[in-house]
């Protein structure tokens, strides 16, 4: 048996290649849309990719099962359980098969057994892996978004991203019962999850790539609850606002997205800064400057939005980008391939062009904002804008501040006046840098509070509520 782990650190997404060295067959579990890494490894190892398996309808990346089916002829295997999610509706010309609880998919001498594990979504299935004929019992289980290292999948995405009312509580109760069955597994069984730390599909995922049933039973907080209602309250509490692009993923993944062969790659463009500023003025275009926030604060092209790469790029493109807008990126040339991959894996296909950061220097009209620590800011002559999430705001905030969460921008800005400067902050100063660029584009005088609310508390030596 051959097992290969793939990890997209930008989207915190894991996928797997399982191969039988005796027969040369291979399967990919939860592939991303960029299938080149799987094809490359399969070729290097002498495998033919014959199967593409889904654990569920994903909300945080574009699934690559249809891309694999088109490119390699692999059969798509997906859940036939659940039904609330409308199920899969792939192109009927693609080879495919629905799976029910207990069904077995053979990859040469390796067996993958489908186990219905609803909770994160109604149709979710996991796959037990047994290396036959060497063993009669499974060695591990691919858990998708069912169980992670240190966490379990959130059950509220159908309600919060797809608008399906009442599914969050129902999903939490399904998760509770799925976990009771999971606890019956032997402690030695390995867990291969679909995500790692940083994923928005849970609230406290661990950074380690794998775990075991025994370890999770001992230390995973979600597995310590024996009362269903207490578990549901625990699981639903503290789940952050899902990125806006999750709704698009729930829309495209049941059918599969446009083949990559039909998606323009975007070109490196030779325009000056003034021409880029004209692009940024258009209502249906988004020009993203990926430079360090301090560089952007010193000098930027009007109309551009600062989403630094790699630190915040994936999350905030997913929260702020519109799928019907053409996208242009200011980025160092050696990062273009990475940016392309991130965007296609998020389904942001309207990438029209890339510019070198040197384009900023060619603009005849530039804009800038200030960076100051809380102690340097005189709050009595400023408007203070807090761009953190609501749960952060409710724990504590600066008296007199206006709360406009960054993921809601630019909505709510009409409550602000342009007669006074704005001191904008988040928890540490990263999200507020993005907000500063947007406020700047709307004509406000901006100060980004270095260190954010955390530093404000330290420098004021008080907390606020």
């Amino acid at each position: 048996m051959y097992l290969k782990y793939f990890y997209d650190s930008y989207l915190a997404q894991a996928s797997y290649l399982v191969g039988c060295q005796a027969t040369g067959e291979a399967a990919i579990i939860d592939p991303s849309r960029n299938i080149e890494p799987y094809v490359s490894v399969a070729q290097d190892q002498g495998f033919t990719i014959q199967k593409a398996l889904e654990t569920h309808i994903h909300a945080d990346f574009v699934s690559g099962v249809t891309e694999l089916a088109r490119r390699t002829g692999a059969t798509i295997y997906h859940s036939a359980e659940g039904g609330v999610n409308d199920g899969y509706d792939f192109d009927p010309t693609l080879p495919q098969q629905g799976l029910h609880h207990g069904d077995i998919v053979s990859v040469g001498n390796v067996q993958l057994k489908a186990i219905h594990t609803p909770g994160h979504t109604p149709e979710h299935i996991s796959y037990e892996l047994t290396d036959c004929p060497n063993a009669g019992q499974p060695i591990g289980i691919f858990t998708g978004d069912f169980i992670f290292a240190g966490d379990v999948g959130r059950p509220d995405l159908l309600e919060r991203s797809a608008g399906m009312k009442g599914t969050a509580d129902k999903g939490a109760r399904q998760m509770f019962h799925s976990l009771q069955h999971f606890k019956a597994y032997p402690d030695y069984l390995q867990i291969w999850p679909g995500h790692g730390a940083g994923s928005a599909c849970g609230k406290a995922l661990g950074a380690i790539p794998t775990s075991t049933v025994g370890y999770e039973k001992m230390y995973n907080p979600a597995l310590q609850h024996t009362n269903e209602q207490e578990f549901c309250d625990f699981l639903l509490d503290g789940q952050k606002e899902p990125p806006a692009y999750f709704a698009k993923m729930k829309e495209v993944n049941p059918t599969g997205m446009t083949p990559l062969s039909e998606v323009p790659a975007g070109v490196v463009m030779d325009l000056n800064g003034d021409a880029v500023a004209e692009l940024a003025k258009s209502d249906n275009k988004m020009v993203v400057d990926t430079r360090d926030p301090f560089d952007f604060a010193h000098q930027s092209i009007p109309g551009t939005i600062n989403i630094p790469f790699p630190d915040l790029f994936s999350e905030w493109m997913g929260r702020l980008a519109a799928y019907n807008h053409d996208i242009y990126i200011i980025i160092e040339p050696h990062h273009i391939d990475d940016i392309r991959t991130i965007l296609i894996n998020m389904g942001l296909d309207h990438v029209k062009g890339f510019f070198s950061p040197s384009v900023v220097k060619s603009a005849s009209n530039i804009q800038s904002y200030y960076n100051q620590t809380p102690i340097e800011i005189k709050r009595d002559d400023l408007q203070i804008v807090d761009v953190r999430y609501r749960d952060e705001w409710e724990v504590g905030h600066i008296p007199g501040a206006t709360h406009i969460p960054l993921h809601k921008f630019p909505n709510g800005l009409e409550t602000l006046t342009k007669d006074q400067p704005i001191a904008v902050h988040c928890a540490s100063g990263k999200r507020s840098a993005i907000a500063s660029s947007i406020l700047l584009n709307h004509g406000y005088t901006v100060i980004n509070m270095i260190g954010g609310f955390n530093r404000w508390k330290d420098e004021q030596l008080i907390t606020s509520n």
Side-chain angles (χ1 to χ4, degrees):
M1 183 188 77
Y2 179 88
L3 176 60
K4 175 69 175 179
Y5 171 77
F6 299 85
Y7 193 68
D8 180 348
S9 60
Y10 299 117
L11 297 181
Q13 185 256 332
S15 51
Y16 303 84
L17 183 152
V18 175
C20 175
Q21 291 152 319
T23 65
E25 299 172 60
I28 311 297
I29 297 169
D30 283 341
S32 66
R33 194 182 187 194
N34 175 31
I35 66 169
E36 299 305 327
Y38 316 123
V39 173
S40 177
V41 169
Q43 290 176 343
D44 289 345
Q45 297 296 323
F47 291 123
T48 300
I49 298 175
Q50 297 186 356
K51 297 173 172 67
L53 285 74
E54 288 269 81
T55 55
H56 66 293
I57 297 174
H58 302 284
D60 57 320
F61 68 98
V62 178
S63 169
V65 291
T66 55
E67 194 71 23
L68 273 171
R70 294 187 188 99
R71 287 271 303 276
T72 71
T75 298
I76 300 170
Y77 291 86
H78 61 82
S79 174
E81 300 282 358
V84 175
N85 209 24
D86 292 331
Y88 292 89
D89 188 23
F90 295 131
D91 180 345
T93 65
L94 297 176
Q96 57 194 280
Q97 181 177 331
L99 298 174
H100 292 280
H101 179 79
D103 286 349
I104 292 176
V105 179
S106 295
V107 185
N109 295 322
V110 179
Q111 287 189 349
L112 294 166
K113 183 178 180 181
I115 305 297
H116 187 209
T117 49
H120 178 64
T121 62
E123 81 285 353
H124 195 289
I125 54 177
S126 302
Y127 294 99
E128 293 178 3
L129 171 63
T130 303
D131 185 17
C132 305
N134 298 323
Q137 298 296 323
I139 182 177
I141 181 168
F142 297 101
T143 55
D145 286 23
F146 169 39
I147 291 185
F148 307 118
D151 201 0
V152 297
R154 59 189 297 178
D156 61 325
L157 290 180
L158 285 177
E159 184 157 333
R160 299 179 73 175
S161 293
M164 300 178 67
K165 300 298 183 184
T167 53
D169 181 74
K170 182 177 180 180
R173 297 184 187 281
Q174 289 178 324
M175 179 65 77
F176 178 79
H177 292 285
S178 293
L179 290 175
Q180 306 318 302
H181 294 294
F182 173 82
K183 291 177 184 178
Y185 277 121
D187 288 353
Y188 71 81
L189 201 71
Q190 295 181 61
I191 295 171
W192 301 303
H195 295 289
S199 169
C201 287
K203 57 182 176 180
L205 282 72
I208 58 174
T210 65
S211 187
T212 64
V213 170
Y215 191 86
E216 295 306 308
K217 286 194 291 189
M218 291 174 63
Y219 297 112
N220 189 321
L223 272 67
Q224 310 312 308
H225 294 271
T226 57
N227 178 276
E228 181 174 329
Q229 188 58 53
E230 290 179 359
F231 169 81
C232 293
D233 293 342
F234 160 80
L235 188 57
L236 293 171
D237 180 56
Q239 297 287 1
K240 293 189 181 302
E241 184 79 18
Y245 84 98
F246 276 25
K248 182 68 173 181
M249 299 299 93
K250 281 296 188 183
E251 175 188 329
V252 302
N253 277 330
T255 59
M257 206 161 179
T258 307
L260 286 179
S261 60
E262 300 176 14
V263 177
V267 298
V268 177
M269 304 181 74
D270 185 20
L271 299 179
N272 63 28
D274 294 337
V276 173
E278 286 299 314
L279 282 176
K281 285 182 182 179
S282 175
D283 290 338
N284 63 346
K285 292 178 173 57
M286 179 183 190
V287 182
V288 179
D289 188 332
T290 64
R291 292 178 300 148
D292 179 270
F294 283 91
D295 292 334
F296 185 95
H298 177 67
Q299 185 181 47
S300 66
I301 295 175
T304 60
I305 299 175
N306 183 212
I307 306 181
F309 177 83
D311 198 20
L312 302 173
F313 186 80
S314 301
E315 176 181 0
W316 288 101
M317 282 297 292
R319 292 189 184 277
L320 299 176
Y323 278 85
N324 60 345
H325 285 189
D326 291 341
I327 297 173
Y328 299 83
I329 308 288
I330 299 173
I331 185 70
E332 292 288 354
H334 61 280
H335 288 314
I336 288 177
D337 287 344
D338 288 336
I339 290 286
R340 281 195 182 111
T341 299
I342 291 169
L343 296 176
I344 65 168
N345 283 344
M346 297 171 70
L348 291 165
D349 289 354
H350 295 282
V351 181
K352 298 300 183 180
F354 300 92
F355 306 102
S356 167
S358 61
V359 73
V360 177
K361 296 179 181 179
S362 67
S364 59
N365 181 28
I366 61 170
Q367 59 185 10
S368 61
Y369 66 82
Y370 302 98
N371 285 290
Q372 293 182 352
T373 65
I375 207 167
E376 294 172 328
I377 296 175
K378 296 179 180 180
R379 295 193 305 278
D380 56 357
D381 62 350
L382 296 174
Q383 304 169 88
I384 300 175
V385 175
D386 186 333
V387 301
R388 297 175 300 158
Y389 294 109
R390 174 157 295 280
D391 60 330
E392 297 173 281
W393 165 270
E394 291 175 347
V395 170
H397 55 267
I398 297 174
T402 298
H403 184 222
I404 309 176
L406 176 55
H407 65 279
K408 301 292 187 182
F409 269 43
N411 297 328
L413 300 188
E414 67 277 0
T415 63
L416 306 174
T417 177
K418 295 181 180 178
D419 296 334
Q420 289 180 297
I422 293 174
V424 59
H425 77 88
C426 57
S428 64
K430 293 182 178 180
R431 287 170 288 177
S432 59
I434 299 174
S436 294
S437 70
I438 298 174
L439 288 165
L440 204 60
N441 292 333
H442 283 76
Y444 296 96
T445 301
V446 183
I447 301 171
N448 181 29
M449 188 184 294
I450 300 172
F453 183 70
N454 295 337
R455 185 162 179 173
W456 179 85
K457 286 195 301 182
D458 292 340
E459 293 188 353
Q460 298 299 315
L461 303 178
I462 60 172
T463 58
S464 168
N465 53 48

